[in-house]
Amino acid sequence: MRSFSEKPAFLTNRLSISLFTFFTILLLLNVGSFCQSGKTPVKTKPKVPAAIPLPPAEISETEWNELVKSFAAEDWDQTVLLSSSFLKKFKTDNEKRELAQIRYFYLFSLAGKVSQSKMTFDQLKTLSVSLIGQKFLMPGRKVLADCKKALNYICAMKQYYRTWRVTATNREFTAIHAFEYIQLPEKVDTALYPDKEVVLGGKLLKIEFNPKQEVSWIMRLYFTALISDSREHDDGKVLDK
């Protein structure tokens, strides 16, 4: 009679097979690990650091003086040439808001070329359309409570109490380049700026061209406003950015 302590043959055989299988798998794993460790390590591409945006570039003093000189001399061809090259070169404005000023030089000078019959109204429309929605900064001008027929002054419009306007002409007052309308977020009393030069600017909303395409006046410009007095471009004095 077989004792219960004796293991049946099928259990012994199964145990032997199991042990054999276990050691075989363990051996294969060790061999696999050895083979893996012997492989040439895979080269990983170094991580490229994220590009850090460069600070807004500034126009050199020499370039800026050349632009201002041509604008003051009413050399519209040269001013358009210089300002257009700067607009292509610089895409981000700096603290001096030079880009906003250059946009004004450019558009005003394009109108000057039209007034001298060096450019057509159609060409002006084509070149100026990309400026809509951009920020502008105008030259400093004095404020008058009642302009009447005064030119190149900042005036309040009586019928539109939140709108200031400028009739911007050439130096000889022979050509109106633009009627400029600047809408303020609130009414501002012009008496606050007696004999004071004010720098106006804002986002260009719309351009209307002389429907008769006559050079007596070229266009109307409509802006939402920011205002900075005495040439101090201080955000504390900005009414609307």
Side-chain angles (χ1 to χ4, degrees):
M1 182 180 293
R2 184 177 295 174
S3 168
F4 285 107
S5 62
E6 292 181 290
K7 295 180 180 179
F10 76 91
L11 288 177
T12 304
N13 294 338
R14 184 171 293 180
L15 180 60
S16 299
I17 293 171
S18 299
L19 290 172
F20 175 78
T21 304
F22 173 77
F23 285 115
T24 302
I25 293 172
L26 184 62
L27 179 62
L28 290 173
L29 288 173
N30 289 333
V31 172
S33 299
F34 175 79
C35 292
Q36 287 289 343
S37 62
K39 285 184 179 179
T40 305
V42 179
K43 293 182 179 180
T44 57
K45 292 183 180 180
K47 292 183 178 180
V48 180
I52 301 174
L54 297 174
E58 290 189 10
I59 298 170
S60 70
E61 185 175 353
T62 301
E63 290 174 321
W64 183 260
N65 289 339
E66 187 179 358
L67 174 61
V68 172
K69 182 180 178 181
S70 65
F71 184 78
E74 299 190 348
D75 185 345
W76 307 132
D77 291 322
Q78 180 68 2
T79 305
V80 167
L81 179 65
L82 292 173
S83 56
S84 61
S85 68
F86 293 147
L87 290 176
K88 292 175 183 177
K89 184 177 180 181
F90 302 103
K91 300 301 179 183
T92 305
D93 214 344
N94 54 36
E95 292 182 356
K96 297 178 182 179
R97 300 180 187 174
E98 290 177 333
L99 201 54
Q101 296 177 66
I102 292 170
R103 290 188 189 108
Y104 185 85
F105 291 156
Y106 178 63
L107 187 53
F108 192 91
S109 299
L110 288 177
K113 292 188 68 170
V114 174
S115 70
Q116 295 175 345
S117 300
K118 294 181 178 180
M119 178 178 288
T120 67
F121 274 89
D122 288 338
Q123 289 173 319
L124 173 61
K125 291 176 185 178
T126 301
L127 292 172
S128 61
V129 66
S130 63
L131 297 173
I132 297 174
Q134 301 294 325
K135 287 186 177 181
F136 281 67
L137 204 63
M138 295 104 165
R141 297 181 175 110
K142 288 189 175 182
V143 178
L144 290 180
D146 187 3
C147 286
K148 293 183 179 179
K149 295 183 179 181
L151 303 174
N152 299 310
Y153 283 90
I154 297 170
C155 315
M157 297 184 67
K158 294 180 180 179
Q159 64 272 41
Y160 302 103
Y161 69 94
R162 288 196 301 117
T163 301
W164 284 2
R165 69 170 176 84
V166 176
T167 302
T169 75
N170 62 349
R171 188 169 50 245
E172 300 298 324
F173 312 112
T174 55
I176 298 174
H177 291 213
F179 296 107
E180 300 166 3
Y181 303 92
I182 304 93
Q183 185 176 9
L184 308 174
E186 59 187 29
K187 183 178 181 179
V188 179
D189 189 355
T190 54
L192 296 173
Y193 303 92
D195 296 322
K196 206 168 187 179
E197 195 173 67
V198 171
V199 176
L200 287 174
K203 184 181 290 186
L204 180 61
L205 299 179
K206 184 172 64 171
I207 306 175
E208 291 179 351
F209 302 96
N210 188 328
K212 296 181 179 180
Q213 298 194 357
E214 296 174 348
V215 297
S216 55
W217 66 271
I218 307 302
M219 58 190 174
R220 300 181 188 272
L221 306 176
Y222 298 87
F223 298 89
T224 55
L226 58 85
I227 179 173
S228 180
D229 61 296
S230 301
R231 295 188 181 274
E232 297 174 0
H233 306 318
D234 184 348
D235 286 341
K237 297 174 183 177
V238 172
L239 294 178
D240 187 20
K241 292 183 181 180

